[in-house]
Amino acid sequence: MPQSGKHVTLKDLAAHAGVSRSTVSLVLQESPLVARHTRERVMAAARALGYVYNRGAATLRSARTATIGVVVHDIANPFFGAMVAGIDETLQNADYVSFLAGTGDSPARQQRLVQRLREQRIDALLLCPAENTPDALINTINTWGLPCIEVMRHVGEMPRGHYVGADIRTGLGRAVAHLVDQGHHRIALLTGAGHSSSDRERIAGYQHAMHEAGLAPDIRTGRNELTRCAGLERTLEIMRETSPPTALICHNDLMALGALLALARLNLTPGVDCAVIGIDDSDEAALSEPALCSLATHPHAIGQAAAELALACIAAPDSAPRRIVLDTSLRIRASADPSLYRLQESS
Amino acid sequence: MPQSGKHVTLKDLAAHAGVSRSTVSLVLQESPLVARHTRERVMAAARALGYVYNRGAATLRSARTATIGVVVHDIANPFFGAMVAGIDETLQNADYVSFLAGTGDSPARQQRLVQRLREQRIDALLLCPAENTPDALINTINTWGLPCIEVMRHVGEMPRGHYVGADIRTGLGRAVAHLVDQGHHRIALLTGAGHSSSDRERIAGYQHAMHEAGLAPDIRTGRNELTRCAGLERTLEIMRETSPPTALICHNDLMALGALLALARLNLTPGVDCAVIGIDDSDEAALSEPALCSLATHPHAIGQAAAELALACIAAPDSAPRRIVLDTSLRIRASADPSLYRLQESS
DNA sequence: GAAGCGTTTTGGATCGATCCAAATGCGACT
DNA sequence: AGTCGCATTTGGATCGATCCAAAACGCTTC
């Protein structure tokens, strides 16, 4: 059926269906103005000729691309994998399609990418900004009139535009409260170098929670590595101190899993000798040995929310900045609750 | 600096620089035809007016979008995360940008996505096809003249067009050989339902390797779940048999890690009572307890190779189908080699 | 049969770039 | 001075859709 000749255009359709180009255009836009039988004739022609809508051409006139850009700092990170899946799901339902690109935390590459995407005339941008992104970037994007939603991270102390993230602060409150319930007093926070907004958020939330509980904060910033390996090494160091903490809250699940490994190597029992709580509740958490207690951040839901906000911004530009902060939930498991220890055995 | 008025077009640039539109166009395409001082004047005008190239408009005339589509069946899968990172890296160097979308293994959604991307006039398509993709799809895409590269999976018995994947077959040969070296005879393969081409590839490679070694194959297909959980449950079942295998090769690392958990629950020592080998060599593998022996498939490199092939296809359309099969390497670790057991302790 | 009115349809201009054949400028050579 | 060659530059047509104001149509109503 498909023509092997050149491209079939709307003009060809018009000729084949015996109507004008304008009418065909209306049909393609599903306009209610056109009579039912005309629509059907045009649709039939489209099928017969193997017509393919040319979105680029439409864009040129109408300035809508049905396209959004997603820029994250680390594509390979499973958290972003899940987030991107959420974004994709929502966008597909709206018949949007998205560009995905990674910056590897380089502001320069980020700058180039944003420019590149602007040339593609994306309708909106979901940005999980690289560290040390200059404040100017967000302003610049705003002056372009390009709706931009910061996700998970934000440049500057407070998000200045639209923002979607997880309520780490309250979540850390829950984590600390749980540990206090379990009788812990020496609760340490293991995090990155403290430069990224995700570090700062964790530190602030932790400090607040510790203060509420009347405990002295014990913040262990590390290098910027947030990997299993970093968690392992850092924990080995810490647990060899003379009076080490009895509970560790880690920047993410990877580090927490590393911490569990470290405890195992030192022949300490996680959850008994030292409680460990991660952040993200990734797939690994529930299935590690022992199961890792983790603060669930729901990346999929965050992705969905961000995509929905983007669509809303496109529909109503220049709406007031919205800040969507999704609730987190503490998944209590053996690594921070000895009473659950090995219960799963019976499965 | 940026104009707050309407859009700055190439025509405005021409006026500002005192040359014709054609000349400006040549400058933007970095054509060598234009005199140096003219180029500089135009560039200066572009900066002064805050000009943004409109790729959509250019596309309309020149039929090149500098855009490719990436369609995978499971976006959230870390393997694809790494692969997409490789693709992205290569494309960014070529100043291409990519659409990413997931099918969730639904041929219908895949069909819609491919159509949608075609409307965007992508220059090439990287496709990791959904299971049960109709053979017709690849043919159809080919008649469209859209360069398509199948990645990791392929529809039909053999890839009919361009293909990039990992040489699982030879890799499994190495895995089996290693296990035989270690004195194993009852070596089982744990895989999915056997419907996807990745299942079939593993089964074929395993059968071949076992045959070479003069051993009887023992294939344990499961449901389609390829998760840690599936690996755990399946292994619990298998190891409770009267004479269970002494070595398990698992469909991927997730399942293998699940298998390790199962062994731990049964108080069996992985690598001693039962060897376990995974496939992918994901980050988790090296750091699990015990370290997981795994067949590295290098998703990042596969992504790069696929993207490079795509660029090559764009440069030279209708070139003969190429099949790039990247080598794998067996990462021998404690889970399949007791002599390495707990050596890492000393780290 | 003309006027009035709501529903459909239409032609031409337009979006912002590229392509191409032809024009221009300029120095060298006869 | 006239001609040729080379490096630059140019106008107009074009890509494939949308937008808009106006035309055509069909029906009632006077």
Side-chain angles (χ1 to χ4, degrees):
Chain A
M1 250 65 85
Q3 302 267 105
S4 54
K6 268 300 165 219
H7 268 164
V8 178
T9 79
L10 161 155
K11 196 194 274 183
D12 303 325
L13 274 198
H16 190 271
V19 295
S20 75
R21 290 178 353 250
S22 308
T23 305
V24 175
S25 176
L26 290 176
V27 170
L28 296 178
Q29 293 171 71
E30 320 208 301
S31 158
L33 271 64
V34 48
R36 173 200 282 276
H37 67 276
T38 312
R39 181 192 346 275
E40 276 160 9
R41 229 179 35 248
V42 172
M43 300 291 258
R47 266 189 300 277
L49 300 183
Y51 172 73
V52 184
Y53 185 70
N54 186 332
R55 226 148 198 124
T59 293
L60 185 53
R61 189 88 239 275
S62 65
R64 275 278 165 92
T65 54
T67 282
I68 80 159
V70 179
V71 173
V72 299
H73 58 90
D74 178 14
I75 296 195
N77 186 327
F79 180 91
F80 289 113
M83 192 186 82
V84 166
I87 293 173
D88 183 52
E89 198 179 300
T90 302
L91 290 184
Q92 279 188 36
N93 290 333
D95 203 27
Y96 266 69
V97 89
S98 70
F99 292 104
L100 175 68
T103 61
D105 255 333
S106 147
R109 258 171 86 186
Q110 179 172 267
Q111 176 72 39
R112 274 216 314 281
L113 277 174
V114 170
Q115 275 292 350
R116 186 64 178 67
L117 290 177
R118 184 150 95 112
E119 292 180 358
Q120 293 285 354
R121 295 291 193 271
I122 50 173
D123 291 340
L125 176 66
L126 296 184
L127 178 66
C128 177
E131 282 195 31
N132 302 317
T133 297
D135 277 26
L137 183 65
I138 301 295
N139 291 332
T140 311
I141 293 174
N142 284 337
T143 66
W144 292 344
L146 172 62
C148 173
I149 290 143
E150 293 182 281
V151 186
M152 292 309 290
R153 290 178 173 184
H154 48 82
V155 332
E157 280 308 304
M158 283 292 294
R160 267 203 307 296
H162 300 281
Y163 174 78
V164 175
D167 189 358
I168 300 286
R169 175 178 251 261
T170 324
L172 282 178
R174 291 203 189 99
V176 169
H178 172 74
L179 291 171
V180 170
D181 266 7
Q182 299 274 317
H184 292 280
H185 300 107
R186 294 204 305 281
I187 303 171
L189 177 73
L190 227 72
T191 180
H195 301 322
S196 74
S197 79
S198 70
D199 282 339
R200 288 196 302 273
E201 187 177 27
R202 283 159 171 73
I203 291 173
Y206 165 80
Q207 279 179 323
H208 178 78
M210 290 297 275
H211 184 259
E212 290 278 288
L215 297 174
D218 176 10
I219 298 173
R220 313 293 184 120
T221 54
R223 275 149 295 137
N224 256 330
E225 303 270 307
L226 298 172
T227 58
R228 197 178 298 245
C229 208
L232 185 143
E233 289 172 6
R234 205 85 186 75
T235 305
L236 286 177
E237 279 170 42
I238 292 174
M239 297 311 290
R240 279 165 181 156
E241 294 172 1
T242 46
S243 74
T246 64
L248 294 174
I249 298 178
C250 300
H251 186 282
N252 60 20
D253 278 357
L254 288 178
M255 288 189 76
L257 291 168
L260 289 186
L261 287 176
L263 295 180
R265 296 224 182 140
L266 297 169
N267 283 318
L268 298 173
T269 309
V272 176
D273 299 316
C274 178
V276 175
I277 296 185
I279 298 183
D280 280 352
D281 191 35
S282 54
D283 290 345
E284 292 102 310
L287 289 158
S288 70
E289 191 61 37
L292 176 67
C293 173
S294 185
L295 190 61
T297 45
H298 314 299
H300 190 91
I302 288 179
Q304 290 180 311
E308 272 159 25
L309 182 50
L311 293 174
C313 288
I314 294 170
D318 333 295
S319 46
R322 287 187 57 187
R323 256 149 241 170
I324 298 181
V325 179
L326 296 194
D327 210 6
T328 57
S329 32
L330 187 65
R331 296 284 149 79
I332 298 172
R333 298 202 188 93
S335 77
D337 192 337
S339 72
L340 300 173
Y341 217 77
R342 295 258 161 189
L343 263 190
Q344 49 194 313
E345 191 88 348
S346 56
S347 112
Chain B
M1 250 66 85
Q3 302 266 105
S4 51
K6 268 301 162 221
H7 268 162
V8 179
T9 78
L10 163 154
K11 195 195 273 184
D12 302 326
L13 275 197
H16 191 272
V19 294
S20 75
R21 292 180 348 255
S22 307
T23 306
V24 176
S25 176
L26 290 175
V27 170
L28 295 178
Q29 294 171 71
E30 319 209 300
S31 155
L33 270 64
V34 47
R36 172 199 283 278
H37 67 275
T38 312
R39 181 194 343 278
E40 276 161 8
R41 226 173 44 245
V42 172
M43 299 291 258
R47 268 189 299 276
L49 300 183
Y51 171 73
V52 185
Y53 185 70
N54 186 332
R55 229 154 195 118
T59 292
L60 185 53
R61 188 92 241 276
S62 65
R64 275 279 165 92
T65 54
T67 284
I68 79 158
V70 179
V71 172
V72 299
H73 59 91
D74 178 13
I75 296 195
N77 185 326
F79 180 91
F80 289 114
M83 191 187 83
V84 167
I87 294 173
D88 183 53
E89 198 179 302
T90 302
L91 289 184
Q92 279 188 38
N93 290 335
D95 202 28
Y96 266 69
V97 91
S98 69
F99 291 104
L100 176 67
T103 60
D105 255 334
S106 146
R109 259 171 84 184
Q110 178 171 268
Q111 177 71 38
R112 276 216 313 282
L113 278 174
V114 169
Q115 274 291 351
R116 185 66 178 67
L117 290 176
R118 190 173 173 225
E119 292 181 357
Q120 293 285 353
R121 295 292 193 268
I122 50 173
D123 290 339
L125 175 66
L126 296 184
L127 178 65
C128 177
E131 281 194 32
N132 303 317
T133 298
D135 277 27
L137 183 66
I138 302 295
N139 291 333
T140 310
I141 293 176
N142 284 338
T143 67
W144 291 345
L146 172 63
C148 173
I149 290 143
E150 291 182 281
V151 186
M152 292 310 289
R153 289 180 174 183
H154 48 81
V155 330
E157 280 310 305
M158 283 293 295
R160 266 202 310 294
H162 301 281
Y163 175 78
V164 175
D167 189 359
I168 300 286
R169 173 177 252 260
T170 324
L172 282 179
R174 292 204 189 99
V176 168
H178 172 72
L179 291 171
V180 170
D181 268 4
Q182 300 273 317
H184 293 280
H185 301 105
R186 294 205 305 283
I187 303 172
L189 177 73
L190 227 70
T191 181
H195 300 324
S196 74
S197 82
S198 70
D199 282 338
R200 287 196 301 273
E201 186 177 27
R202 282 158 172 74
I203 291 174
Y206 166 79
Q207 279 179 322
H208 178 79
M210 290 297 276
H211 184 258
E212 290 279 288
L215 297 175
D218 175 11
I219 298 172
R220 313 290 186 121
T221 54
R223 272 150 298 140
N224 255 329
E225 302 270 304
L226 298 171
T227 59
R228 200 177 297 245
C229 210
L232 185 143
E233 289 171 5
R234 205 85 187 76
T235 305
L236 285 178
E237 279 170 42
I238 292 172
M239 298 312 286
R240 280 167 180 154
E241 294 171 2
T242 46
S243 76
T246 64
L248 293 176
I249 299 178
C250 300
H251 186 281
N252 61 20
D253 279 357
L254 289 178
M255 288 190 76
L257 291 168
L260 291 185
L261 287 178
L263 295 178
R265 295 227 181 135
L266 297 169
N267 283 319
L268 299 173
T269 308
V272 175
D273 298 316
C274 177
V276 175
I277 297 185
I279 298 184
D280 278 353
D281 192 36
S282 54
D283 290 347
E284 290 102 312
L287 290 158
S288 69
E289 191 59 40
L292 177 66
C293 173
S294 186
L295 189 62
T297 46
H298 314 298
H300 190 91
I302 288 177
Q304 290 181 310
E308 274 160 22
L309 181 50
L311 293 173
C313 288
I314 294 170
D318 335 291
S319 47
R322 286 187 56 188
R323 254 148 243 172
I324 300 180
V325 179
L326 297 192
D327 211 5
T328 57
S329 31
L330 187 65
R331 295 284 150 75
I332 298 173
R333 300 203 187 91
S335 77
D337 192 339
S339 71
L340 300 172
Y341 217 77
R342 296 257 162 190
L343 262 189
Q344 49 193 315
E345 191 86 350
S346 55
S347 111

